Amino acid sequence: AQSVAQPEDQVNVAEGNPLTVKCTYSVSGNPYLFWYVQYPNRGLQFLLKYITGDNLVKGSYGFEAEFNKSQTSFHLKKPSALVSDSALYFCAVRDRANAGKSTFGDGTTLTVKP
Amino acid sequence: EAGVAQSPRYKIIEKRQSVAFWCNPISGHATLYWYQQILGQGPKLLIQFQNNGVVDDSQLPKDRFSAERLKGVDSTLKIQPAKLEDSAVYLCASSPLGQGVNNEQFFGPGTRLTVL
């Protein structure tokens, strides 16, 4: 069965500092990996995805993520955090071999302090 | 373009009552998903449609939950009878068929269900 782990419930960083939100996954076939963000009282929004090719993927709002096959990880990063980045972040995996079924992690709350 | 529409936004019912949620996906999106998001957890896929056919409903509690997408456009999710543990946000999402399963999903605002 496929699964996603986000080991940190909460990540706190100071504005201007780099941020990392961690994600590891387990899937039998080739993974398609996604990051979504959920702002208060708003629906989930797509940030970026890894399908194939370059291990470093760039997405919306200056975010990027690095796919590491050997460590089965897909950590979300940003070089310089903004207060407006404070939100709930979800990692998700889809397995092409499993009809594309989506599995989400339980989310990480990012708080960026001024 | 208009986003994924869901209604109602909030619903409060008593246990053993029935409830229905409606979703209208983004125009042209062939794939529609229903998720259950319990507080403090990530979304859990309940059912996935491609056009009007079911792709995956392995996590749908079929003794009480049902869903349909008769014309391959909008969809209804029903719970009958509801239990306390069904209290959650029910999310609808859609994605284009296009490149297949590597497409991102577009989410609606969700319906917050409280079962008393």
Side-chain angles (χ1 to χ4, degrees):
Chain A
Q2 62 193 55
S3 64
V4 174
Q6 293 182 241
E8 300 158 318
D9 291 337
Q10 181 101 20
V11 170
N12 297 311
V13 299
E15 188 173 33
N17 282 0
L19 69 87
T20 298
V21 182
K22 296 179 180 177
C23 171
T24 59
Y25 66 90
S26 174
V27 69
S28 57
N30 290 320
Y32 297 140
L33 295 155
F34 301 80
W35 276 101
Y36 291 84
V37 60
Q38 187 171 38
Y39 297 103
N41 299 316
R42 295 178 66 179
L44 278 83
Q45 298 175 31
F46 168 75
L47 269 183
L48 50 79
K49 65 182 177 183
Y50 170 80
I51 303 303
T52 187
D54 261 346
N55 289 341
L56 185 63
V57 178
K58 294 187 183 297
S60 307
Y61 312 120
F63 283 92
E64 58 190 28
E66 186 167 11
F67 171 64
N68 188 316
K69 187 174 183 177
S70 63
Q71 296 185 3
T72 60
S73 67
F74 189 56
H75 301 330
L76 181 70
K77 300 181 180 183
K78 188 173 182 180
S80 179
L82 299 173
V83 172
S84 57
D85 293 330
S86 298
L88 182 56
Y89 290 81
F90 290 96
C91 180
V93 65
R94 302 188 75 169
D95 181 359
R96 185 174 184 177
N98 191 18
K101 177 180 174 179
S102 291
T103 300
F104 282 76
D106 284 338
T108 298
T109 299
L110 172 67
T111 302
V112 182
K113 298 184 178 178
Chain B
E1 66 182 359
V4 176
Q6 289 189 249
S7 67
R9 293 293 310 276
Y10 305 90
K11 190 74 177 179
I12 300 174
I13 62 173
E14 296 193 349
K15 60 183 179 184
R16 292 188 288 274
Q17 287 187 323
S18 62
V19 64
F21 312 126
W22 175 81
C23 171
N24 194 28
I26 292 173
S27 178
H29 280 194
T31 310
L32 185 147
Y33 315 79
W34 283 103
Y35 290 89
Q36 180 192 58
Q37 186 176 16
I38 293 172
L39 187 64
Q41 298 180 18
K44 182 182 86 171
L45 181 68
L46 293 175
I47 188 166
Q48 177 179 336
F49 292 96
Q50 186 165 303
N51 296 312
N52 60 352
V54 175
V55 174
D56 187 309
D57 63 356
S58 58
Q59 298 189 103
L60 186 74
K62 298 180 184 65
D63 57 335
R64 298 184 301 106
F65 286 65
S66 64
E68 59 183 16
R69 194 185 184 199
L70 293 176
K71 297 182 179 179
V73 181
D74 58 346
S75 176
T76 303
L77 176 71
K78 297 179 181 178
I79 307 175
Q80 182 179 359
K83 293 185 175 181
L84 296 176
E85 58 260 37
D86 298 331
S87 294
V89 176
Y90 290 84
L91 299 169
C92 180
S94 69
S95 62
L97 185 57
Q99 298 169 11
V101 301
N102 60 12
N103 283 324
E104 60 267 30
Q105 297 171 49
F106 296 80
F107 284 83
T111 297
R112 183 176 299 276
L113 174 67
T114 302
V115 183
L116 303 175

